Amino acid sequence: MLELLKTRRSIRKFQDRKVEEEKIDTLLKAALLSPSSRSRRPWEFIAVTDKELILKLADSKEYGSQFLKGAPLAIVVVADKEVCDVWIEDTSIAAIIAQITAHSMGLGSCWIQIRERMHNSEKKAEDYIKSLLDIPQKYGVECILAVGYPGEHKEAYEEKDLPYNKIHFDRYGMK
């Protein structure tokens, strides 16, 4: 598992190649297997493969979402905010599990933050996406995962370069 985590990187360039339905199914099952507070499972996932919808999702924010245009798959991670007060944490866990699963299958991915971001100066990115994908108002939109076969290579992290100064034992500041 540590080797998988060392090599998982955010991928923003993708090959012009569809993600197979079996792999999409596996990604979604992995997300559904994610832990959640008190097993409330507030999260839901919208797998988008329609190119026109992906292009519109890529415009969900002014900055930081345009690379989605090159992805063959977008997974929109949402949650029913009435089900659980820690829906943000639960969706975040599910999203990273989907990303690690994608990497384990030879796919690349990148998180696109939506919650608390703006579509433009007047409209929240979340509201733009809710309207575009017919998401009920009571849902929160945490992120979009761009997924596809990597069109770029990034070097793995090396253990010697990890920020070990961020690890403390028993009390803050104790090494």
Side-chain angles (χ1 to χ4, degrees):
M1 181 63 150
L2 196 55
E3 292 306 312
L4 187 69
L5 293 173
K6 286 182 199 176
T7 58
R8 200 222 67 83
R9 302 295 302 269
S10 291
I11 299 298
R12 293 177 180 83
K13 294 179 184 171
F14 301 95
Q15 295 176 25
D16 186 18
R17 177 179 169 193
K18 286 185 177 185
V19 176
E20 298 85 349
E21 286 185 34
E22 317 79 67
K23 288 188 177 184
I24 296 172
D25 186 52
T26 299
L27 284 173
L28 297 172
K29 284 178 186 174
L32 290 173
L33 287 167
S34 298
S36 69
S37 177
R38 299 170 302 213
S39 275
R40 293 283 178 94
R41 300 177 178 143
W43 27 247
E44 296 186 30
F45 311 95
I46 304 167
V48 180
T49 57
D50 179 279
K51 192 63 179 168
E52 291 303 312
L53 273 178
I54 290 174
L55 291 174
K56 290 177 182 174
L57 285 171
D59 289 330
S60 61
K61 300 190 313 178
E62 291 180 287
Y63 307 102
S65 61
Q66 294 298 311
F67 67 88
L68 182 60
K69 290 179 181 179
L73 171 63
I75 299 175
V76 181
V77 182
V78 305
D80 183 339
K81 297 187 285 188
E82 295 174 3
V83 169
C84 185
D85 66 334
V86 292
W87 67 271
I88 296 166
E89 293 85 347
D90 286 350
T91 54
S92 298
I93 292 166
I96 194 59
I97 285 179
Q99 287 190 278
I100 292 167
T101 301
H103 181 60
S104 76
M105 295 188 298
L107 299 170
S109 67
C110 190
W111 173 299
I112 300 169
Q113 179 66 26
I114 297 301
R115 185 183 52 78
E116 301 297 326
R117 299 297 184 262
M118 298 299 289
H119 168 65
N120 59 32
S121 61
E122 296 149 14
K123 189 174 196 173
K124 291 182 176 183
E126 181 176 43
D127 293 333
Y128 171 81
I129 292 170
K130 284 180 183 181
S131 175
L132 182 65
L133 301 180
D134 301 322
I135 299 169
Q137 195 57 39
K138 70 177 184 172
Y139 282 75
V141 181
E142 176 63 15
C143 66
I144 303 171
L145 300 178
V147 182
Y149 286 94
E152 63 180 325
H153 173 75
K154 293 185 176 180
E155 292 299 319
Y157 292 106
E158 295 197 27
E159 285 187 48
K160 68 178 180 62
D161 296 327
L162 294 177
Y164 289 106
N165 63 317
K166 296 187 179 279
I167 296 174
H168 310 272
F169 291 94
D170 294 327
R171 288 180 176 71
Y172 188 88
M174 299 299 288
K175 302 296 175 194

